[in-house]
Amino acid sequence: MQIRSVGIDLGKTTFHLVALGASGKVLVKKKFTQKQLLAFTANMQTSLVGLEACSGAHFLGRALKQQGHDVRLIAAQFVKPFVKSNKNDFVDAEAIAEAVERKNMRFVPIKTDDQLDLQAMHRIRDRLVSRRTAVINQIRAFLLERGMVFAQKPAKLKAAMADVLENAENALTPMMRNLIGTLWDEWKTVEEQIDELTDMLEQIAASDAGCCRIRQIPGIGPIVATAIVAAIGNGAAFRKGRDFAAWLGLVPRQYSTGGKAKLLGISKRGNIYLRKVLIHGARAAAMRIKRDRFPIGTWMNALEARAPRNVLVVAMANKLARIAWAVLSSGEDYRPVANMAGYEIERKRRLRLGSASRSHFPALRRLSPPRSAQESKDERTVTTAYLKPAPDNGLQRPTDL
């Protein structure tokens, strides 16, 4: 019995395995618990094994790799076209076994323990930030019913909390005063937890080589740097920076037919959290960067003159993502052009080589004046975007944490 590929449908307690032969015929169809599955695969011939990239896939992928199998993770949306007829667990496993054989299939790299730890820290911090916002909004709503209105910034409300709780002349009842005090204590507790996680992320960003390199890029701080490294490691899963930006959903969604290109708003697919923090970093850079000191400032001024501010921010986030991928994949430091003359020389050289295409943001295409074929090249191409990725794909765990 020669097994060509194996598909495993993951669950919390049960796992369904389907093995296909050389002709595509189903050779094995079994249901296991996690321990039974690992015992079965340990005695099975080494095979190509496909898993859906979902909860628990990274652990199982590492365990099967240690047994000698060639393990590949596939996003669920790429498995769906292979599902036949009605859906059940065995049909899903068979679809995974068929999809993993495709030569042009896109796979998800298996994350290391360090990447998963770092990603978990970001997830917890993001949840705590949402919880803090909810507590602040609830305090505002309760005080508004008592005729107390405060400025929108949380700092204004925080500065007034002592007076709200201690002033006996306001319209708060004893019960409401006690409830507001409880919410105030919760706010301070959540704030301390967020600060603690932020400090840990800053320590990791300062000790990891990849984070230190991409933190040299304007608009990328410790939060964004650690989020990028936790998501893609050294970026070896992407062939070029444009692929990384597209994976983040920072490029337009396309709906073209009949030879007519139709581009819509950004696709917003991929990692929602990473796209959010990148856009926040790009917005901070667009507002605070001294544009006369950086070559990118000329591009930002030209874009801002013909496009809305939000278009500039998203285009800046796209640029930051592509530069970050180039720095991570090459293993080299970020090297901005030293002066504007050098920047113009490099830009004209890229235009002569024809290494870029016109901006793919619809808003920019509508607002940009017509250009000739030679002048319409996209000036946002990163010259280091095609360097060979580094061989390893992980984090350096800081010893002081």
Side-chain angles (χ1 to χ4, degrees):
M1 182 177 63
Q2 188 67 28
I3 296 176
R4 185 177 63 181
S5 63
V6 176
I8 302 176
D9 183 63
L10 306 183
K12 295 182 180 66
T13 56
T14 59
F15 300 80
H16 297 76
L17 181 145
V18 171
L20 302 181
S23 62
K25 183 180 179 181
V26 176
L27 301 180
V28 180
K29 182 185 287 187
K30 291 182 178 293
K31 176 181 175 181
F32 301 102
T33 63
Q34 187 182 85
K35 291 184 178 180
Q36 292 172 344
L37 174 65
L38 292 176
F40 179 82
T41 53
N43 298 319
M44 187 179 69
Q45 68 182 66
T46 55
S47 308
L48 175 62
V49 180
L51 307 172
E52 270 192 2
C54 58
S55 180
H58 293 283
F59 162 76
L60 189 58
R62 290 196 303 272
L64 294 175
K65 250 187 171 178
Q66 291 175 356
Q67 296 177 354
H69 298 287
D70 182 10
V71 184
R72 300 178 184 177
L73 271 57
I74 312 174
Q77 64 265 29
F78 296 144
V79 176
K80 188 175 181 180
F82 295 89
V83 176
K84 305 183 187 72
S85 188
N86 298 319
K87 179 189 181 303
N88 60 55
D89 295 328
F90 282 118
V91 170
D92 289 345
E94 184 179 347
I96 296 170
E98 292 183 3
V100 76
E101 297 177 3
R102 299 295 295 266
K103 301 299 182 183
N104 60 345
M105 180 58 66
R106 301 173 185 174
F107 300 104
V108 179
I110 298 176
K111 286 184 170 60
T112 63
D113 286 332
D114 294 324
Q115 285 180 284
L116 293 174
D117 292 346
L118 190 53
Q119 184 174 263
M121 291 174 61
H122 277 279
R123 295 292 183 269
I124 295 173
R125 184 181 179 278
D126 188 43
R127 179 181 59 80
L128 290 174
V129 170
S130 299
R131 180 182 169 190
R132 179 181 61 184
T133 303
V135 170
I136 292 172
N137 290 341
Q138 194 167 45
I139 292 175
R140 286 183 182 277
F142 289 156
L143 294 179
L144 183 61
E145 291 295 338
R146 297 297 194 268
M148 301 181 191
V149 182
F150 301 92
Q152 289 186 355
K153 293 184 178 179
K156 300 292 185 180
L157 179 60
K158 182 184 291 187
M161 285 303 299
D163 182 66
V164 169
L165 295 173
E166 296 173 4
N167 188 359
E169 297 180 359
N170 55 31
L172 294 180
T173 63
M175 176 64 74
M176 180 56 66
R177 196 182 305 274
N178 184 39
L179 293 174
I180 295 296
T182 302
L183 290 175
W184 171 233
D185 293 337
E186 182 181 358
W187 183 358
K188 292 186 290 186
T189 302
V190 172
E191 193 87 39
E192 292 174 359
Q193 294 173 341
I194 293 173
D195 292 340
E196 182 181 352
L197 285 173
T198 303
D199 291 341
M200 293 175 64
L201 290 174
E202 290 178 352
Q203 292 179 35
I204 294 174
S207 60
D208 181 71
C211 292
C212 290
R213 290 199 305 273
I214 61 177
R215 283 183 66 183
Q216 300 170 3
I217 304 170
I220 295 184
I223 302 297
V224 182
T226 50
I228 291 175
V229 174
I232 66 170
N234 68 351
F238 302 97
R239 187 173 60 90
K240 53 186 178 180
R242 289 174 182 265
D243 293 345
F244 177 45
W247 177 73
L248 285 175
L250 291 171
V251 299
R253 184 165 58 92
Q254 186 178 26
Y255 190 82
S256 303
T257 184
K260 296 180 180 179
K262 183 178 180 181
L263 300 180
L264 310 173
I266 60 172
S267 62
K268 296 184 180 180
R269 35 174 91 131
N271 193 323
I272 298 175
Y273 174 76
L274 183 53
R275 181 175 64 251
K276 178 181 70 174
V277 295
L278 261 175
I279 289 178
H280 285 335
R283 182 176 288 108
M287 293 174 60
R288 300 181 180 276
I289 191 173
K290 297 186 182 299
R291 302 184 184 181
D292 56 338
R293 299 183 182 180
F294 294 90
I296 198 174
T298 303
W299 170 82
M300 294 171 65
N301 289 333
L303 179 56
E304 193 171 29
R306 68 181 193 271
R309 172 60 66 89
N310 286 340
V311 174
L312 168 64
V313 170
V314 174
M316 183 71 178
N318 182 293
K319 181 182 285 289
L320 292 181
R322 291 159 59 181
I323 296 175
W325 177 90
V327 171
L328 286 174
S329 62
S330 66
E332 300 178 2
D333 291 337
Y334 170 64
R335 298 190 304 274
V337 180
N339 52 62
M340 289 308 301
Y343 172 73
E344 289 298 324
I345 293 173
E346 177 64 17
R347 182 182 67 85
K348 292 178 181 178
R349 184 187 70 82
R350 291 202 305 268
L351 291 179
R352 287 196 303 270
L353 294 177
S355 61
S357 59
R358 190 178 178 187
S359 172
H360 50 230
F361 284 91
L364 302 188
R365 295 174 62 200
R366 290 193 299 268
L367 294 168
S368 301
R371 301 181 183 182
S372 64
Q374 185 65 21
E375 295 175 345
S376 62
K377 301 298 181 180
D378 184 3
E379 300 174 5
R380 297 173 296 133
T381 301
V382 181
T383 55
T384 55
Y386 293 92
L387 295 176
K388 185 177 180 181
D392 57 334
N393 182 22
L395 287 168
Q396 296 178 0
R397 179 185 288 273
T399 56
D400 56 341
L401 292 181

